[in-house]
């Protein structure tokens, strides 16, 4: 490096699996009443750091992900909507119908949600754009299985230019799936309650 040069700094990367699901009390900054008997994690796990990014959204949250079955993540998406964030969700049509999917709950909260409609291929993206300046992207499916069992990763990029690239892809998919809006009044598993994939 020349004079004044600096070593490049790697962006934050989250790796899974976590040692356990987070204790809700600790996650909310409260004292856990169970103490040492608590079976949930009191650490700043990868999921907690992931949720922190979602809870940091102030203006916009665009989610484009294959499947959502982790309740803690669904709650963070819904909480964003309730505090005035413009939230849009794109997901896979088959996964949305599977048992345990949180997609219909998300749509029932008034969050605009769309799916693909291809019986052969999948909407397999796994990214989110927060306030047009933070990108979450990686192998991580938004499921409890991915949190606790799978070898997964999420990279956190605070790069508006890169967010613009992903926003263009999101908007293209959003337009493509315009006719595939998830109704607000459809119940979970409304498409028949298929068995959830272990992803």
């Amino acid at each position: 490096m020349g004079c004044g040069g600096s070593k490049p700094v790697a962006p934050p990367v989250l790796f899974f699996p976590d040692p356990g699901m987070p204790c809700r009390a600790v996650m909310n900054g409260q004292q856990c009443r169970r103490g040492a008997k608590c079976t949930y994690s009191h650490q700043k796990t990868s999921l907690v750091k992931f949720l922190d990014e979602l809870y940091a959204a102030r203006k916009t949250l665009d989610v484009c992900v294959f499947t959502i079955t982790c309740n803690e993540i669904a709650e963070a998406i819904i909480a964003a909507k309730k505090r005035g964030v413009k939230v849009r969700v794109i997901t896979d049509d088959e996964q949305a119908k599977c048992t345990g999917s949180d997609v219909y709950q998300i749509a029932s909260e008034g969050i605009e949600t769309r799916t693909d409609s291809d019986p052969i291929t999948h909407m397999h993206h796994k990214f989110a754009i927060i306030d047009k300046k933070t990108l979450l992207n990686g192998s991580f499916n938004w499921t409890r299985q991915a949190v606790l069992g799978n070898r997964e990763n999420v990279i956190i990029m605070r790069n508006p230019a890169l967010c613009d690239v992903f926003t263009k892809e999101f908007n293209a998919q959003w337009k493509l799936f315009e006719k595939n809006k998830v109704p607000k009044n459809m119940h979970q598993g409304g498409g028949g309650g298929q068995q959830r994939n272990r992803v």
Side-chain angles (χ1 to χ4, degrees):
M1 280 290 182
C3 182
S6 58
K7 187 176 180 180
V9 178
V13 182
L14 308 178
F15 293 104
F16 296 87
D18 278 348
M21 296 302 288
C23 171
R24 287 181 179 270
V26 174
M27 192 169 63
N28 294 329
Q30 302 170 355
Q31 183 87 19
C32 177
R33 296 180 179 179
R34 297 181 181 180
K37 296 181 179 180
C38 183
T39 57
Y40 294 93
S41 176
H42 288 196
Q43 303 174 32
K44 190 81 169 180
T45 62
S46 289
L47 177 61
V48 172
K49 294 175 183 177
F50 184 86
L51 293 172
D52 284 347
E53 298 296 329
L54 298 182
Y55 280 111
R58 290 296 174 262
K59 295 181 179 180
T60 60
L61 173 59
D62 288 337
V63 173
C64 191
V65 64
F66 177 57
T67 182
I68 306 173
T69 65
C70 178
N71 294 341
E72 287 80 359
I73 295 177
E75 289 166 6
I77 294 171
I78 293 168
K81 166 71 173 179
K82 290 183 176 179
R83 63 177 181 271
V85 176
K86 180 181 179 181
V87 183
R88 299 185 295 174
V89 175
I90 298 174
T91 190
D92 183 75
D93 59 335
E94 291 185 14
Q95 289 298 307
K97 299 171 186 175
C98 289
T99 302
S101 173
D102 291 317
V103 169
Y104 294 106
Q105 179 189 358
I106 289 169
S108 73
E109 295 289 341
I111 295 172
E112 290 186 89
T113 305
R114 299 180 183 181
T115 70
D116 67 330
S117 59
D118 193 320
I120 300 175
T121 63
H122 291 293
M123 201 308 296
H124 210 244
H125 282 308
K126 304 171 186 71
F127 69 85
I129 309 154
I130 302 168
D131 293 334
K132 299 182 179 179
K133 61 184 181 181
T134 299
L135 173 70
L136 308 179
N137 188 38
S139 67
F140 180 62
N141 278 309
W142 295 16
T143 67
R144 187 184 180 94
Q145 171 65 27
V147 172
L148 297 177
N150 296 353
R151 271 38 178 184
E152 307 277 7
N153 70 83
V154 177
I155 187 168
I156 303 172
M157 297 289 292
R158 309 194 195 284
N159 185 325
L162 185 58
C163 287
D164 284 346
V165 175
F166 274 81
T167 296
K168 288 179 181 177
E169 171 64 13
F170 184 96
N171 287 337
Q173 299 301 309
W174 190 252
K175 183 177 181 180
L176 180 64
F177 304 141
E178 185 174 4
K179 296 182 180 179
N180 306 331
K181 299 177 183 178
V182 178
K184 289 177 61 174
N185 58 351
M186 184 174 280
H187 299 293
Q188 177 202 28
Q194 303 170 30
Q195 182 65 36
R196 180 176 60 195
N197 289 345
R198 291 178 61 83
V199 291

